[in-house]
Amino acid sequence: MRTTLLLGVACLLSNAATQQFVMYTPGGDDTSVERADPIVSPGNISQHVHQIFGSNAFAPEVSYESLQKADCTTVADASNQGNAADNSIYWHPALYMEASNGTGYIRVPTNGHKLYYKNAGTGTPRDPFEFPHGFRMLAGDPFLRAAHPNLQRQNITQWICHQAVGMNQGTSGGFPTGVTNCPNVDGFNGAIHFPHCWNGGDFDPADPTAHVIYPSGDIENGACPPSHPTRLPHIFIENTFNLDAVYDAVKPDSFVLSQGDASGYGWHFDFFSGWKDGAIPALLAQCPQGSYGNEDIGTCPNFEPRSTPASECKLNTFFRENVNSPGKNLPGCNPIVDTNPAPQYVPAPRGVSSTHCTLVANGASSGNPPAKSSRTRGSKHSKTATAKRSKTSIAKTRTES
Ligand SMILES: *[C@@H]1O[C@H](CO)[C@@H](O)[C@H](O)[C@H]1NC(C)=O
Ligand SMILES: *[C@@H]1O[C@H](CO)[C@@H](O)[C@H](O)[C@H]1NC(C)=O
Ligand SMILES: *[C@@H]1O[C@H](CO)[C@@H](O)[C@H](O)[C@H]1NC(C)=O
């Protein structure tokens, strides 16, 4: 893991107490990419494009039971052996940039993910220390467009451009500016912390972030508050975007997340647990702990590999449209709202666009998107605002692995 110097120190200090294990996806553009979201829009096309990984029981609508029918997963040890205990599915927004030749957006491919599961922080651990069946949660906020007023909440998301040399660009919060091609294997890295303090209740579609919150103080090692006293495993995921692969063809810094977020503060992640009973507590207790915790789940004595290698596990795509070069509108026609001054939040879009933009349903193309670009930001001004927000964000980073 590469993270900021200060985060690295925090890890060091807490390391003695932190049990953790680490998993990987195989690298390359290892996801299904489509407008599906079994948590927020179960059964239906979703508002924006996601990159989805995990078990091949992924579908637009899932349950704990349906996930158990998976026969492979893209989440693996360092040798590409899928983890047989984890039938979970994970997804995050796709990242787009503007093509420099004016043809519109192109998608930045991924180059793998790194998933950390930790026994971190204080509060009463759930017994057993694992997710209940049917558990699902969101991390981050798709509608956030500026630094969160709560300082602690600013540490949920991280954007770091990994250079070939030790100096890397970026830190917590939104996109850094002046980002170059990030040629290091960790590329342009968007990372996120999931919340782990639980109120014992179910996921509520009407209030999707009510059942879990972040601990007080440190996002990972803080204490669970009385409203959400039960501590669950902490999940931290690093996602590598292969910026180098598209860098020569895009306008620098023209990043926009699929929900229409050009700030990066709206980086978010979804998790639907499909873990087999008993597996997380056993892995946490028995995996060898290196200086930063176990770096490879394959070295755990109780790790059970799948027969299908993770790189051969493919998730189905259910909603077909051009998600790689969608033209001048993002799939779903999500407007880019990043005005000057940037609003803290943008309103949730009303309904879902399924019959125009770029969707091709049942093999029939719906044609070109509406001619008018939905980009509404005042580009010069908003870039200045963004630059101001991240002026101090060049941080020297350290390598943990
Ligand atoms: C899917 O969306 C349509 C249109 O918004 C709605 O009528 C329908 O009930 C939704 N289906 C499900 C399964 O949520
Ligand atoms: C956010 O993370 C930084 C390290 O990156 C740390 O110094 C700071 O204390 C954290 N803020 C809060 C409120 O947890
Ligand atoms: C514009 O650039 C994109 C990205 O490299 C490429 O896919 C597309 O073919 C180009 N279009 C034209 C008309 O040159």
Side-chain angles (χ1 to χ4, degrees), residues 4 6-7 150-155 171-172 217-219:
T4 67
L6 288 169
L7 285 176
N150 177 336
L151 283 179
Q152 184 227 17
R153 295 285 302 274
Q154 295 177 12
N155 281 350
T171 184
S172 306
D218 187 275
I219 208 94

Side-chain angles (χ1 to χ4, degrees), residues 40-45 61 351-352 354:
V40 175
S41 329
N44 252 341
I45 189 161
E61 191 156 23
V352 152
S354 60

Side-chain angles (χ1 to χ4, degrees), residues 56-222:
N56 70 337
F58 170 80
E61 191 156 23
V62 298
S63 62
Y64 179 81
E65 291 69 31
S66 77
L67 291 177
Q68 300 314 307
K69 297 188 180 124
D71 47 34
C72 66
T73 177
T74 64
V75 174
D77 73 352
S79 315
N80 192 32
Q81 299 190 97
N83 176 11
D86 185 14
N87 289 314
S88 303
I89 48 176
Y90 309 80
W91 60 99
H92 58 78
L95 177 66
Y96 289 89
M97 295 187 83
E98 284 177 57
S100 42
N101 64 12
T103 51
Y105 294 107
I106 55 177
R107 187 174 67 82
V108 183
T110 50
N111 196 16
H113 301 83
K114 190 170 178 184
L115 299 86
Y116 302 74
Y117 276 75
K118 305 186 185 194
N119 182 354
T122 61
T124 313
R126 180 172 187 260
D127 185 17
F129 191 59
E130 62 190 350
F131 303 103
H133 289 189
F135 185 85
R136 67 207 96 153
M137 64 177 161
L138 317 177
D141 183 338
F143 307 114
L144 191 63
R145 292 292 182 276
H148 198 283
N150 177 336
L151 283 179
Q152 184 227 17
R153 295 285 302 274
Q154 295 177 12
N155 281 350
I156 295 172
T157 57
Q158 280 175 27
W159 288 103
I160 298 176
C161 171
H162 291 280
Q163 305 289 354
V165 287
M167 194 67 167
N168 296 317
Q169 302 167 291
T171 184
S172 306
F175 294 132
T177 51
V179 175
T180 55
N181 57 335
C182 319
N184 182 284
V185 66
D186 286 322
F188 188 50
N189 195 290
I192 201 152
H193 289 277
F194 278 86
H196 66 238
C197 299
W198 181 45
N199 68 5
D202 281 341
F203 172 81
D204 175 3
D207 195 357
T209 59
H211 66 316
V212 268
I213 62 172
Y214 290 90
S216 325
D218 187 275
I219 208 94
E220 190 172 305
N221 297 306

Side-chain angles (χ1 to χ4, degrees), residues 242-327:
N242 188 356
L243 184 54
D244 198 36
V246 297
Y247 191 70
D248 290 343
V250 296
K251 296 181 187 165
D253 288 343
S254 61
F255 303 113
V256 57
L257 293 170
S258 58
Q259 79 270 29
D261 172 23
S263 76
Y265 287 98
W267 180 230
H268 60 284
F269 236 96
D270 294 44
F271 164 69
F272 200 121
S273 178
W275 277 93
K276 290 188 181 161
D277 292 343
I280 292 177
L283 291 169
L284 285 171
Q286 293 166 25
C287 293
Q289 301 292 306
S291 36
Y292 291 95
N294 179 55
E295 288 290 306
D296 177 7
I297 197 174
T299 62
C300 304
N302 50 356
F303 172 67
E304 212 192 307
R306 301 255 184 187
S307 48
T308 308
S311 56
E312 285 169 29
C313 185
K314 301 291 173 227
L315 276 53
N316 288 328
T317 299
F318 295 85
F319 303 108
R320 295 197 176 276
E321 62 186 327
N322 184 349
V323 293
N324 292 332
S325 48

